[in-house]
Amino acid sequence: MIYITGDCHGIYNRFSTESFPEQTEMTRDDYVIVCGDFGIWNDDKSERWWLDWLAEKSFTLLFVDGNHENFDRLYSDEFPIVDFHGGKAHKIRENIYHLMRGDVFELCGKKFFAFGGARSHDIQDGILDRNNYKTEEQFKHEVRRYVMAGKVFRINHMSWWEQELPSNEEMMHGLEVLAANDDKVDFIITHCCPQEVASCMGYHEPDLLTQYFNTVASHTEFSKWFFGHYHDDKSVWGKFVMLYENIIRIV
């Protein structure tokens, strides 16, 4: 069995037995996939408690990264890179894995192309960087000024990371992996979506990744494309499925 859901942002109540009773019939050979913004953020008591709680679940939990992840941690030695069902993954716990960008994973007899990342929508007023200020007090004063002015901003390496968008190497790797699979998979799992789909939903400003996904969509044969990021649950053109809080079975 394979289920899939949308953004968690570090809140995992949807995986309680009460909210997700299907798990009582699942084993570690069954999977739940999160379409980005899983919630690897601060290594604090609350996060460790939730990850330990998830580690006791009967199923295996997988996720692609979103734009609300602490990439300094996610890509650090804290989470080793392991071989996982045909691709590479960061091992978070014994049953929790981050599917790395551009690989194809074989799960329950199906092929999944995974590619995380997305451009943040809440940075209209800029990204502050501590390194641009002579003293810590100057930096804190600027943060307070932004907050008091109601500005929409993030802080580099605290609430925003440039790795939210892929490198050229990651994008080329994804295309090469797809080509090695004859440009045919069963499912595509991402956080954002192709620009043609985003525009249909009212998000008309393209970026590096949504344009890349246009290329992937036009060159790849697939049954369904699942994505999160836009905080809604609905189908677009039947083939593209946006997920937020719903958990649906796909295999």
Side-chain angles (χ1 to χ4, degrees):
M1 289 183 281
I2 300 179
Y3 289 83
I4 191 163
T5 188
D7 310 23
C8 293
H9 298 288
I11 301 173
Y12 307 110
N13 307 75
R14 76 185 68 174
F15 301 124
S16 68
T17 305
E18 181 180 5
S19 298
F20 182 45
E22 294 87 349
Q23 66 186 281
T24 59
E25 298 181 1
M26 299 174 72
T27 71
R28 292 292 171 89
D29 293 324
D30 299 307
Y31 304 91
V32 176
I33 304 174
V34 177
C35 294
D37 281 356
F38 177 72
I40 296 297
W41 201 251
N42 297 314
D43 184 19
D44 56 21
K45 183 177 180 180
S46 176
E47 182 185 277
R48 290 192 295 271
W49 188 93
W50 278 111
L51 290 177
D52 290 343
W53 180 79
L54 290 170
E56 295 177 356
K57 293 296 177 180
S58 60
F59 53 84
T60 297
L61 187 57
L62 314 175
F63 68 96
V64 297
D65 52 274
N67 56 300
H68 291 104
E69 316 284 2
N70 183 334
F71 287 98
D72 288 340
R73 284 189 63 210
L74 193 56
Y75 290 165
S76 74
D77 293 337
E78 180 181 355
F79 305 121
I81 297 175
V82 299
D83 293 323
F84 185 80
H85 291 264
K88 296 292 186 180
H90 286 108
K91 186 175 182 180
I92 310 300
R93 291 290 190 274
E94 285 299 320
N95 65 324
I96 307 175
Y97 294 86
H98 164 236
L99 304 179
M100 297 181 69
R101 295 173 179 172
D103 278 350
V104 169
F105 301 86
E106 296 192 23
L107 307 168
C108 299
K110 302 293 184 181
K111 288 187 175 183
F112 292 76
F113 176 68
F115 205 108
R119 181 175 62 89
S120 292
H121 295 149
D122 49 358
I123 54 174
Q124 293 93 320
D125 295 312
I127 298 164
L128 299 183
D129 192 326
R130 285 185 176 182
N131 294 327
N132 294 334
Y133 299 87
K134 291 183 179 180
T135 67
E136 182 71 10
E137 184 53 40
Q138 287 179 338
F139 170 70
K140 290 181 177 179
H141 174 77
E142 187 73 345
V143 171
R144 288 193 295 268
R145 189 177 72 83
Y146 268 54
V147 171
M148 293 298 294
K151 291 183 178 291
V152 181
F153 71 102
R154 299 272 202 96
I155 300 174
N156 192 24
H157 292 290
M158 289 184 62
S159 58
W160 181 87
W161 288 261
E162 65 179 356
Q163 295 97 323
E164 67 175 29
L165 288 175
S167 65
N168 288 330
E169 290 77 12
E170 287 174 322
M171 292 188 291
M172 286 302 301
H173 172 69
L175 296 178
E176 291 168 358
V177 168
L178 285 171
N181 284 271
D182 299 320
D183 290 315
K184 182 178 180 180
V185 294
D186 295 290
F187 302 107
I188 295 179
I189 312 295
T190 61
H191 188 51
C192 63
C193 63
Q195 184 56 44
E196 59 183 1
V197 179
S199 294
C200 175
M201 300 185 300
Y203 297 92
H204 298 291
E205 184 180 351
D207 61 59
L208 176 76
L209 189 50
T210 59
Q211 291 178 312
Y212 172 71
F213 286 156
N214 273 355
T215 300
V216 172
S218 64
H219 288 81
T220 308
E221 182 180 344
F222 60 94
S223 297
K224 294 281 186 180
W225 185 314
F226 296 97
F227 60 98
H229 190 46
Y230 305 95
H231 293 191
D232 201 357
D233 294 280
K234 67 179 181 181
S235 176
V236 182
W237 303 335
K239 206 170 187 179
F240 298 88
V241 181
M242 182 200 313
L243 290 168
Y244 186 30
E245 296 178 330
N246 287 350
I247 304 176
I248 63 173
R249 183 175 176 177
I250 59 174
V251 177

